[in-house]
Structure formats: structure tokens, C-alpha cells
């Protein structure tokens, strides 16, 4: 109806006849129509998981023309069995299916279906829903792999285009960072800004570049680390300076809060880490063990242990007494990230790679490659995604 009213022909007559022949089970017409359309040597579309499970496994390793014919003949064979036309089914198996494949196991399985006493038993044994079910539609979808989309519109194509349209709207939204219920009834717009847009306050207190900022887990403080050798703890009530932490001899590169927000660790270019009491601002302990700049530090969950990485190619696990618990040799460390369950460790090197370790054993697992030098990285709470900030200014 749409074609006749619009005057636009979506498919040629042979293709339309081919589609109708499959869905109506006119298998002699299917063969002639398939011959006129032609089988391509390249697979054109990815079929659904249901089709792969139901049909594609039967044609694995067959040439495209044999695979297409096998799919058609198998369906015809099953429908003859369902109609209890056993002689015709046997002829299809002996004279046609057996010539299309040398998979003896597959042929034996098909021949065993001849012994099914009822159509219900047949459908159960063949894991097939019958001629009145979805089987013909699955045949059509499976054959689509071997026919150019320019000749026959793929099954579910409209659904695919709708899904792509929704996905493109979401991907073009500059505030879209999570899954939402989007549709085509209206253009997608995130209901509320997910990223802050308005400048609220500028904090001034450092005398040189600020290299790192992080909020305390309880939300009471914002910690900042600076090239001026100091750290500042800002009260989030009014963003006044609550504590100024002084003691490092060189730049402070990183900060890490304890899970209870009562302590904070700083990592410095003076090759040390310092553990500070948040309430008093007192330096509780100095951690010495790195031989070059300490670039990153993290608390290992609620274990009471601290992890650090440096340009000396070391990642060290410490207890809060400043004793080395474990250490591992790594590439030069630009930044670290740890999964919430403390099982994965990601090390960003000074080039363009992320090295992934099993944190429980400190054994290397694999490497992820980036397009430029990585300045910092972070893991999502479920450890499925990693966010990287590149020297070129991009984020991935």
C-alpha cells in the first residue's frame, strides 16, 4: 500500500515474490526466485542472536550458495515432516540436503526426526516452532546474510533506523552521560543539566599552580595540592581555608582522603608521601621509599593501606605506620586508578598506555592503548569504564 500510494518501489518484483514465497511456504517458487536474485559471496548483515542460535550454526563452513540452499531445504524438510508427508521429506533429505553438506552429524540428526511420531514431538526434538510460528521469518532473516541490501531491505531495518536515530540524538546531547528512556515522539533533551555550567566561586590561597583537587568522602572539605609545596583544606560551608598543610620540600602532585575523611595523604616531587590529621592539620607520618617524584596515591578501600606510584617505576602498598607491605615494578607512573572492590589497578604511564594489574596479587593482566600521553584517569564505580584525560586536551 505504501509503495502504491507513494509511487516509490522499495523492492523489485522478484525480491517481493521471493519474500512472499518464503512467508507463505511456497518452496518451489523460493528456489527459482533465489536463483534470479543471486547469492553474493560476502555476508552483508548481522543476523539476530535468535537466528544465529536457530539456523546459522547449521551452515557454518558452507559456501554462501550452499548455505542459502541448505536453509531453504531444511525448512522445507521440516514442514513436510510436520504435515506427515514422510516420503517427500525423505526424498528432500536424500537427494538435496545430503548434497549440500558433508556434516554427517547434522544429516544424522535430521534423519532421526523421521522417527518422531507426532508433529508436537517433531517441534520439540528439532527445537523448531513450526510453519505457523516464527520459523519462516527466521529463514528470511538468515537468507538476508547472502543477499545485498541494495536488492532486499534487511529484516527489522525500520526498527534499526529508529534505534539509530534515538542513539544519535543521545550521543549528540552535550550533557548526556547515562542511559535514559528516549524515543522519537520528541527530540531528546536531558531534563536537567548533569554538568555544572555556572561559575559559583573562585578559591584563592595558593601562591603557584594548583595541580590536584578532591572532595572528602563526607563532603565537608575540598582538598587542593599545589606547586607552592602546600595543600589547603577548604571548608565546603563557605569555602574558607580550614587547614593549610605545610611540610613538603617540593611540589605536591596528588591527594587521597581516607574513607572516614579523618586523614589525608599527599604525594610530592620531594619523593615522599605525608599522612595528615584533618582536624589538627598535623603531619602524622612521612613515607620514604620512592626514588623519584611520587605522582599518585590512593587509599585501598577500608583496608587501612595506602598505594602510591612514582616516576621511579614503582607502585608501593604501605600501611599507615609508613611500612612497605608490597611493591611491584611498573612503567613510570603518571596516574593510578583502583576499582571499588580493590581487585583492579590501572597504571597510566608517561607515554600513551594504561597497564592493568590484578591488585590482589600485583600481577600484570593487559595493556590499553591511548592516542596520546595520559595526564589522569578514573574508573567508574562498577569498573566497566575508564575515563582518561590526554595531554592534547581530549577526554576518552
Amino acid at each position: 500500500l505504501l509503495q502504491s500510494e507513494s509511487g516509490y518501489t522499495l523492492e523489485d518484483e522478484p525480491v517481493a515474490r521471493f519474500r512472499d514465497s518464503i512467508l507463505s511456504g511456497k518452496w518451489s517458487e523460493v528456489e527459482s526466485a533465489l536463483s534470479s536474485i543471486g547469492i553474493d559471496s560476502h555476508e552483508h548483515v548481522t543476523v539476530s542472536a535468535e537466528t544465529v542460535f536457530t539456523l546459522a550454526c547449521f551452515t557454518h563452513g558452507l559456501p554462501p550458495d550452499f548455505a542459502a540452499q541448505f536453509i531453504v531445504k531444511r525448512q522445507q524438510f521440516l514442514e513436510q515432516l510436520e504435515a506427515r508427508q514422510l516420503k517427500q521429506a525423505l526424498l528432500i533429505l536424500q537427494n538435496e540436503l545430503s548434497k549440500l553438506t558433508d556434516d554427517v552429524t547434522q544429516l544424522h540428526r535430521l534423519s532421526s526426526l523421521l522417527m518422531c511420531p507426532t508433529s508436537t514431538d517433531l517441534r520439540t526434538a528439532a527445537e523448531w516452532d513450526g510453519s505457523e510460528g516464527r520459523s519462516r521469518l527466521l529463514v528470511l532473516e538468515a537468507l538476508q546474510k547472502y543477499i545485498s541490501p541494495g536488492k532486499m531491505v534487511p529484516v527489522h531495518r525500520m526498527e534499526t533506523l529508529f534505534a539509530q536515530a534515538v542513539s544519535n540524538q543521545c550521543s549528540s546531547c552535550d550533557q548526556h552521560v547515562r542511559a535514559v528512556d528516549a524515543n522519537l515522539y520528541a527530540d531528546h533533551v536531558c531534563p536537567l543539566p548533569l554538568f555544572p555550567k555556572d561559575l559559583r566561586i573562585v578559591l584563592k590561597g595558593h601562591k603557584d599552580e594548583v595541580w590536584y583537587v578532591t572532595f572528602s568522602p563526607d563532603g565537608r572539605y575540598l582538598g587542593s595540592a599545589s606547586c607552592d609545596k602546600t595543600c589547603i583544606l577548604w571548608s565546603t560551608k563557605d569555602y574558607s581555608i580550614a587547614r593549610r598543610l605545610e611540610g613538603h620540600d617540593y611540589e605536591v602532585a596528588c591527594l587521597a582522603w581516607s574513607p572516614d575523611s579523618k586523614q589525608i595523604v599527599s604525594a610530592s616531587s620531594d619523593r615522599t608521601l605525608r599522612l595528615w590529621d584533618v582536624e589538627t592539620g598535623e603531619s602524622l607520618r612521612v613515607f620514604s621509599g620512592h626514588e623519584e617524584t611520587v605522582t599518585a596515591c590512593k587509599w585501598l578501600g577500608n583496608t587501612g593501606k595506602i598505594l602510591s606510584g612514582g616516576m621511579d617505576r614503582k607502585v608501593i602498598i604501605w600501611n599507615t605506620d609508613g611500612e612497605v607491605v608490597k611493591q611491584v615494578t611498573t612503567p613510570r607512573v603518571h596516574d593510578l586508578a583502583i576499582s571499588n572492590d580493590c581487585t583492579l589497578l590501572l597504571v597510566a604511564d608517561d607515554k600513551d598506555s594504561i597497564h592493568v594489574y590484578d591488585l590482589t596479587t600485583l600481577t600484570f593482566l593487559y595493556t590499553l592503548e591511548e592516542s596520546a600521553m595520559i595526564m589522569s584517569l578514573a574508573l567508574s564505580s562498577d569498573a566497566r569504564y575508564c575515563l582518561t584525560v590526554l595531554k592534547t586536551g581530549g577526554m576518552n
Side-chain angles (χ1 to χ4, degrees):
L1 178 62
L2 182 61
Q3 288 188 125
S4 61
E5 290 184 353
S6 66
Y8 178 79
T9 302
L10 191 62
E11 294 177 335
D12 293 336
E13 179 60 29
V15 174
R17 188 168 61 252
F18 172 69
R19 185 189 299 274
D20 292 341
S21 298
I22 290 177
L23 296 179
S24 59
K26 299 175 182 177
W27 300 110
S28 59
E29 295 181 15
V30 170
E31 292 182 59
S32 60
L34 186 60
S35 177
S36 64
I37 294 172
I39 297 297
D40 289 352
S41 59
H42 301 289
E43 296 184 2
H44 291 281
V45 297
T46 302
V47 299
S48 68
E50 181 184 9
T51 303
V52 169
F53 179 79
T54 308
L55 290 172
C57 58
F58 301 135
T59 59
H60 179 70
L62 294 181
D65 54 341
F66 277 33
Q69 292 179 59
F70 188 91
I71 290 170
V72 171
K73 288 300 175 182
R74 178 182 178 275
Q75 179 72 14
Q76 187 179 2
F77 169 76
L78 293 174
E79 290 194 12
Q80 291 289 355
L81 285 181
E82 184 183 39
R84 311 312 296 159
Q85 300 294 323
L86 302 185
K87 182 177 180 180
Q88 290 86 339
L90 182 59
L91 289 174
I92 293 172
L93 178 62
Q94 291 178 335
N95 299 335
E96 300 182 81
L97 283 169
S98 61
K99 295 179 181 179
L100 296 173
T101 180
D102 55 5
D103 186 342
V104 177
T105 302
Q106 179 63 236
L107 292 173
H108 283 175
R109 184 165 184 263
L110 291 175
S111 64
S112 69
L113 298 177
L114 289 162
M115 306 303 294
C116 293
T118 67
S119 298
T120 301
D121 293 327
L122 167 69
R123 289 191 285 269
T124 301
E127 298 179 343
W128 177 70
D129 65 357
S131 58
E132 300 300 321
R134 287 177 45 80
S135 63
R136 290 176 180 174
L137 186 62
L138 294 178
V139 166
L140 182 62
E141 183 175 354
L143 291 174
Q144 183 73 66
K145 290 178 61 177
Y146 311 107
I147 300 173
S148 169
K151 296 179 180 178
M152 185 168 76
V153 179
V155 178
H156 311 304
R157 184 57 183 164
M158 186 65 73
E159 179 183 349
T160 300
L161 291 174
F162 284 160
Q164 289 175 350
V166 171
S167 176
N168 288 338
Q169 284 197 35
C170 292
S171 63
S172 63
C173 174
D174 61 0
Q175 299 180 41
H176 190 78
V177 294
R178 65 190 66 168
V180 296
D181 293 329
N183 55 60
L184 292 178
Y185 293 119
D187 290 343
H188 165 73
V189 177
C190 281
L192 292 174
L194 299 177
F195 288 102
K197 290 185 175 181
D198 301 323
L199 176 65
R200 294 185 57 188
I201 191 170
V202 177
L203 306 182
K204 295 184 178 181
H206 285 291
K207 298 178 181 178
D208 209 327
E209 294 178 0
V210 177
W211 282 4
Y212 198 88
V213 291
T214 177
F215 283 101
S216 62
D218 63 9
R220 295 178 58 202
Y221 299 102
L222 172 67
S224 60
S226 173
C227 201
D228 66 5
K229 310 176 189 177
T230 71
C231 310
I232 294 178
L233 307 184
W234 309 81
S235 170
T236 55
K237 288 184 179 180
D238 55 7
Y239 287 98
S240 61
I241 296 176
R243 307 282 184 272
R244 187 183 294 272
L245 311 180
E246 298 178 318
H248 282 294
D249 295 328
Y250 293 102
E251 304 92 340
V252 184
C254 190
L255 296 171
W257 291 92
S258 64
D260 61 7
S261 301
K262 293 181 178 180
Q263 296 177 329
I264 190 169
V265 174
S266 57
S268 171
S269 297
D270 64 10
R271 307 178 184 180
T272 69
L273 296 99
R274 284 180 178 261
L275 179 65
W276 308 84
D277 183 280
V278 172
E279 289 302 314
T280 65
E282 176 187 358
S283 177
L284 301 176
R285 196 155 287 106
V286 178
F287 297 69
S288 299
H290 283 284
E291 299 169 6
E292 291 187 45
T293 296
V294 188
T295 53
C297 55
K298 304 288 180 184
W299 283 79
L300 285 178
N302 293 309
T303 65
K305 295 181 175 60
I306 298 163
L307 186 143
S308 64
M311 299 301 284
D312 57 355
R313 304 175 188 272
K314 288 182 185 178
V315 169
I316 301 176
I317 297 177
W318 316 75
N319 61 28
T320 51
D321 292 328
E323 299 170 338
V324 175
V325 178
K326 293 180 182 179
Q327 77 175 48
V328 62
T329 300
T330 68
R332 294 163 70 90
V333 179
H334 256 193
D335 198 10
L336 300 171
I338 298 172
S339 62
N340 281 354
D341 61 3
C342 296
T343 60
L344 283 180
L345 166 66
L346 275 65
V347 176
D349 64 20
D350 62 338
K351 295 180 180 177
D352 55 7
S353 299
I354 300 171
H355 307 268
V356 183
Y357 294 81
D358 181 331
L359 188 50
T360 58
T361 60
L362 289 182
T363 54
F364 173 76
L365 298 177
Y366 54 87
T367 299
L368 304 172
E369 300 294 336
E370 257 293 6
S371 57
M373 182 182 290
I374 303 163
M375 304 307 294
S376 63
L377 77 164
L379 268 176
S380 62
S381 58
D382 59 4
R384 293 179 60 201
Y385 301 100
C386 176
L387 178 67
T388 58
V389 177
L390 307 182
K391 188 176 181 179
T392 55
M395 297 175 67
N396 289 327

